[in-house]
Amino acid sequence: MEELLMKGLIGKLGFEWGDPVFFLAMVFCIVVPYLLGSVNFAVVFSKAMHHDDVRTHGSGNAGSTNMLRTYGIKAAALTFAGDILKGVISTLLGFLILPYYTGFAYISALACMLGHAFPIYYGFKGGKCVATFAGALLVLNPLVWILLLLVFVLVVYISRYVSLGSVICAAAFPILSNMMPIITLTTENGAVGAVPPAGIIAAVLMGVLIIVLHRQNIVRLWQGKESKISFKKKKS
C-alpha cells in the first residue's frame, strides 16, 4: 500500500510516458470521473425525496442553491455533500493512478466537473459545478481551498449572493494554483512542488467553466436582479 501511494498504479506497474497503458490510464482518468460527475444529486434527491425535478423550479439549475430555495436546507445539504464527494473521489483517482504527476488529478477533477455540468444521464443539463469544484480543490490543494473558502464565506456573508462568491473564487483559483506550492508523494516525506503545465491548463479551464456556467447570474448581478440567498424553506 505504501508503494502504491508513493508511485501510483502506473509507476508501480512500471509504465511511463509513451507507453500505451499510460494513455489508457489518461483516458480512464477522464471517462470515469466524467461518468461519476454525471450523477447529479440534485436530480436524484429531488426525485427521491419530493417526487419532483428541481430543474423545473427556480433558476432551473440542478445544484444545491436551487435545492435550498426549492426544498429547504436538508435537501440542499444532501445535494452539496454528494456533489463534494464525487469531486473528492474523482480527484483522488487521479492521484492514485499517478501521484508523482499531479496533472492527472487536475484532469480528473475537470472531467468530473464537466460531467456535473453536462451529465450524460440527464440530457446534458446539470449544475454549475461549485460544490464539485470545492471537493476537487480540497484534494488538489488544501491551502488554496482554505483561502478560497474564506473568500467565499466573506463575499456571500456581505453580499448574500452565492453566485458572486462562486465567480470570484473561480477567477482566483488558477492564479492561486500557480502561486502556491502543492504537496506531492514523490519522496518518502512528501515534496513541495509547482503545479505541472497540464494542471495549470486544467485549473484555468475549471475556472472558466464555472464562470461561463454563471454567465446569466453575472448579467443579473450587473442589472441588480440577482436573487439573494435565503435559508428559509420555500412554502408550497
Side-chain angles (χ1 to χ4, degrees), residues 16 59 127 152 167 175 186 196 208 222:
E16 298 178 352
S59 65
F152 179 82
V167 169
I175 299 173
T186 52
V208 169
W222 181 260

Side-chain angles (χ1 to χ4, degrees), residues 64 79-81 83-85 87 116 128-136:
S64 54
T79 300
F80 190 73
D83 289 343
I84 282 183
L85 184 60
H116 182 79
K128 297 182 180 178
C129 297
V130 176
T132 303
F133 166 69

Side-chain angles (χ1 to χ4, degrees), residues 21-33 104:
V21 176
F22 186 94
F23 291 103
L24 287 176
M26 177 73 77
V27 172
F28 184 82
C29 283
I30 294 174
V31 173
V32 173
F104 262 53

